[in-house]
Amino acid sequence: MKKLSFILLVISFTFISCSNNDSESQKIEDSDRLTKMYKELITLSQYEIQTCTNPNEWAYVAIGEGCGGELDVIYSKKINTVEFLNKAAEYKKLRDIHIAKWGLNCGEYFYYWGKPTGLDCYLEKPILLYNNNTIPK
């Protein structure tokens, strides 16, 4: 009887560890998918390619909540904004599902930035402004 109990115990632990491995691999797959989508958003945004000389040619969109406040992506208004905003909405939806399923690990220390209050150009790159700050010209 003790041998049967031991065998059942070993089988139970095997199933539990397999299900933990499956969920961990699913979490990694979900994270990889979000990372890929985020990189696509940055590429589509033209943020890394176009220079910023006029802040009116740029905008930003919220794609979720982060540890330090709103998570935003800056994009050029010269791109196909409908396509970009649709992809941003899809990313936000999947990120919200991911966070609800797996949680959000912020660590112990972070600074709360809140929501941006504007956008400006600095060293030919668009940047978000917070608390109505301005960039010295």
Side-chain angles (χ1 to χ4, degrees), residues 12-121:
S12 297
F13 282 131
T14 303
F15 282 121
I16 290 170
S17 74
C18 287
S19 68
N20 286 343
N21 288 340
D22 290 345
S23 66
E24 188 63 31
S25 66
Q26 183 62 52
K27 182 179 179 181
I28 291 169
E29 283 179 31
D30 291 352
S31 295
D32 289 348
R33 181 175 180 202
L34 283 174
T35 299
K36 181 181 177 189
M37 289 178 73
Y38 182 79
K39 288 178 180 179
E40 289 174 7
L41 279 175
I42 296 302
T43 300
L44 285 174
S45 74
Q46 297 289 301
Y47 174 82
E48 295 176 337
I49 297 170
Q50 291 188 22
T51 59
C52 180
T53 55
N54 180 357
N56 294 323
E57 294 176 349
W58 295 86
Y60 59 93
V61 62
I63 57 170
E65 291 293 320
C67 295
E70 189 173 274
L71 180 61
D72 300 281
V73 173
I74 300 172
Y75 63 94
S76 169
K77 291 181 180 178
K78 296 176 184 178
I79 65 170
N80 181 341
T81 55
V82 173
E83 176 189 1
F84 177 80
L85 293 174
N86 286 337
K87 286 191 181 280
E90 181 184 351
Y91 174 87
K92 183 181 184 315
K93 179 181 169 185
L94 290 174
R95 186 173 186 276
D96 290 345
I97 291 169
H98 178 83
I99 291 170
K101 186 175 182 181
W102 304 110
L104 181 63
N105 184 5
C106 293
E108 192 172 331
Y109 304 101
F110 64 90
Y111 183 80
Y112 180 73
W113 289 96
K115 295 182 179 190
T117 56
L119 189 142
D120 205 347
C121 297

